[in-house]
């Protein structure tokens, strides 16, 4: 019989997902911030009058996403990608702060 979810293993009554074991805290925070960016951007596109400032909050989480991605790349010894992620993160934070003051 074909098992639909073969990647799940039961260990003492718990479902164990191996993809989260391989992820460090920076990858998990990157995933959470990416979900926040998608949710806030979708809300600002779907309801532009109700959620006027959600795109600025989404821009903040986008900066967080690139910051954590840069830290994760730096820990994996991929320095060129880490520097690029840090530059994009700092530019995003700069535009976010500029947008808050104007």
């Amino acid at each position: 019989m074909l098992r639909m979810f073969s990647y799940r293993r039961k260990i003492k009554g718990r479902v164990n997902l191996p993809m989260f074991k391989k992820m460090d805290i920076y990858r998990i925070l990157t995933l959470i911030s990416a979900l926040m960016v998608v949710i806030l951007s979708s809300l600002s596109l779907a309801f532009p009058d109700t959620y006027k400032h959600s795109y600025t909050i989404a821009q903040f989480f986008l900066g967080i996403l690139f910051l954590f991605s840069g830290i994760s790349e730096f820990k994996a010894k991929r320095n060129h990608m880490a520097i690029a992620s840090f530059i994009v993160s700092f530019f995003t934070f700069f535009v976010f702060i500029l947008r808050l003051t104007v």
Side-chain angles (χ1 to χ4, degrees):
M1 185 172 181
L2 206 167
R3 295 176 71 187
M4 253 173 112
F5 300 106
S6 62
Y7 61 89
R8 292 185 182 198
R9 294 180 302 201
K10 280 204 158 215
I11 298 173
K12 294 183 184 176
R14 288 183 18 213
V15 174
N16 196 7
L17 297 176
M19 64 182 173
F20 287 119
K21 279 192 168 185
K22 294 178 184 176
M23 296 175 73
D24 58 345
I25 189 68
Y26 297 113
R27 296 265 181 177
I28 293 171
L29 290 174
T30 302
L31 180 68
I32 291 170
S33 60
L35 287 173
M36 289 299 295
V37 167
V38 168
I39 290 169
L40 290 170
S41 298
S42 301
L43 283 175
S44 68
L45 286 175
F47 307 106
D49 294 332
T50 307
Y51 297 99
K52 291 180 187 176
H53 301 291
S54 67
Y55 67 92
T56 55
I57 300 169
Q59 191 172 19
F60 172 74
F61 280 109
L62 190 64
I64 293 286
L65 180 136
F66 280 113
L67 182 69
F68 288 143
S69 176
I71 293 171
S72 178
E73 294 290 331
F74 190 71
K75 285 178 66 176
K77 305 289 189 223
R78 293 187 286 261
N79 292 336
H80 295 293
M81 286 303 295
I83 291 171
S85 293
F86 286 139
I87 290 172
V88 171
S89 173
F90 292 136
F91 179 73
T92 306
F93 281 130
F94 174 73
V95 173
F96 170 69
I97 292 171
L98 188 70
R99 184 69 184 150
L100 283 179
T101 58
V102 173

